[in-house]
Amino acid sequence: MSPDDHFQDLKRLIAASGSKAKRISVIMPFLYESRQHKRSTRESLDCAMMLQELIHLGVQNIITFDAHDPRVQNAIPNSGFDTVQPTYQFVKSLVEQCDGVNFDSDHLMVISPDEGAMQRSIYMANVLGVDVGMFYKRRDYSTIVDGRNPIVAHEFLGASLEGKDVLILDDMISSGESMIDVAKELKARKARRVFCLSTFGLFTNGLDVFDKAVEEGIIEKVITTNLTYQTPELLERDWYVSSDVSKYVALLIDTLNHNGSISELLDPTERIKEYLEKNHL
């Protein structure tokens, strides 16, 4: 099914409640058309229109995971909108599935692959107590290839990477091209191991590019959540780690159903610190 089909089914479900529900909350892990969040010429703002449509249908709260740009909530300023970070689940997967990761500034660094991912990278780095670095994409705006301006180079801002494990943090992996380019740059700067962490793993160009990157020693592991469909082929890959968020989503649903506040659940800082202390990290 396409995202459009899913969205139509969601509206049918809301309409089927016949205005009898006490409260309607929508948990939409992968926010519909979230990349269309700003207008530079005459683009359609599908995400903003979708949010407004749900509110007009009677939805009171919308919860999503790692929105591409949280500012899209400005489309519905008087309604509940929360974007959740799966940082705790990423940390848990790193500890349980990846050997020898030391959570200190001498051995680990968080990398933002572009300026758009900087906020989530700073949060992850602050919680773990490590340094953060950033790449920004230098594009050729005079040409268009496959509907976009090609990336000429990745420029790096940050401290020395030599001998450190690095975490590349982003909201989604589509083709994986930019993440692999960043990983190559990190290895060229003598990074020890590169872990790619992304909330949504779409792998639109297949898995071969990642197979090759792992074979060449550019990437150690790729960690994404189970908030989108994962193909059997992906789950069979040795380099892939699935970060399970189902328990967390169930907790959000249970709390909402009992009229509880989800404020504490949205901030995983304390849970991460307790988990690292429990595992003596």
Side-chain angles (χ1 to χ4, degrees), residues 206 236 269:
E236 287 170 2
T269 307

Side-chain angles (χ1 to χ4, degrees), residues 34 82 124 186:
S34 58
D82 292 297
M124 173 76 118
L186 293 170

Side-chain angles (χ1 to χ4, degrees), residues 15-270:
S17 68
S19 302
K20 301 297 182 186
K22 179 183 176 183
R23 182 180 63 245
I24 300 175
S25 299
V26 170
I27 298 179
M28 187 183 291
F30 193 11
L31 197 63
Y32 175 80
E33 298 297 346
S34 58
R35 276 189 157 178
Q36 294 178 312
H37 61 280
K38 62 183 178 181
R39 179 173 284 160
S40 55
T41 53
R42 291 189 176 182
E43 296 93 342
S44 163
L45 297 181
D46 287 9
C47 188
M49 290 164 62
M50 176 275 297
L51 293 174
Q52 291 177 351
E53 195 171 355
L54 289 182
I55 298 305
H56 290 150
L57 284 168
V59 174
Q60 287 171 280
N61 299 301
I62 298 170
I63 299 171
T64 188
F65 279 79
D66 212 351
H68 190 66
D69 190 334
R71 289 175 296 182
V72 75
Q73 66 188 289
N74 292 334
I76 49 168
N78 296 322
S79 303
F81 181 94
D82 292 297
T83 176
V84 186
Q85 299 285 338
T87 314
Y88 173 76
Q89 286 75 18
F90 282 153
V91 171
K92 201 172 175 184
S93 295
L94 281 166
V95 172
E96 294 177 358
Q97 303 288 330
C98 306
D99 297 329
V101 179
N102 295 306
F103 293 87
D104 61 71
S105 56
D106 293 328
H107 299 93
L108 189 67
M109 194 167 177
V110 177
I111 301 295
S112 173
D114 54 37
E115 52 274 32
M118 198 61 193
Q119 191 173 354
R120 63 178 67 88
S121 299
I122 288 172
Y123 175 71
M124 173 76 118
N126 286 346
V127 170
L128 297 179
V130 300
D131 293 330
V132 66
M134 186 193 90
F135 280 90
Y136 67 90
K137 297 169 184 172
R138 192 147 53 82
R139 293 181 181 271
D140 180 4
Y141 287 101
S142 63
T143 57
I144 295 176
V145 179
D146 294 330
R148 58 184 177 177
N149 303 109
I151 298 166
V152 177
H154 287 88
E155 305 291 352
F156 180 66
L157 304 171
S160 171
L161 295 161
E162 190 169 350
K164 293 181 182 179
D165 288 337
V166 290
L167 312 177
I168 307 176
L169 200 61
D170 210 352
D171 62 326
M172 68 175 76
I173 295 173
S174 48
S175 66
E177 175 192 331
S178 62
M179 196 164 264
I180 290 171
D181 285 346
V182 167
K184 286 177 181 175
E185 295 287 340
L186 293 170
K187 293 298 282 188
R189 288 169 172 79
K190 300 183 180 178
R192 181 171 170 247
R193 294 181 298 177
V194 177
F195 298 93
C196 298
L197 279 60
S198 180
T199 308
F200 306 107
L202 306 180
F203 302 101
T204 53
N205 285 11
L207 304 174
D208 292 345
V209 287
F210 282 93
D211 288 336
K212 187 180 177 186
V214 172
E215 193 178 316
E216 293 173 356
I218 296 165
I219 290 171
E220 181 74 17
K221 294 276 186 184
V222 177
I223 303 174
T224 72
T225 68
N226 57 346
L227 293 168
T228 52
Y229 175 67
Q230 299 161 299
T231 63
E233 294 77 25
L234 177 64
L235 294 170
E236 287 170 2
R237 292 297 199 272
D238 292 337
W239 48 261
Y240 179 70
V241 176
S242 176
S243 190
D244 187 15
V245 193
S246 55
K247 184 180 175 183
Y248 186 33
V249 174
L251 190 57
L252 288 169
I253 294 169
D254 185 54
T255 305
L256 287 168
N257 280 344
H258 288 88
N259 293 320
S261 170
I262 62 169
S263 298
E264 289 186 9
L265 297 178
L266 298 177
D267 185 2
T269 307
E270 288 304 316

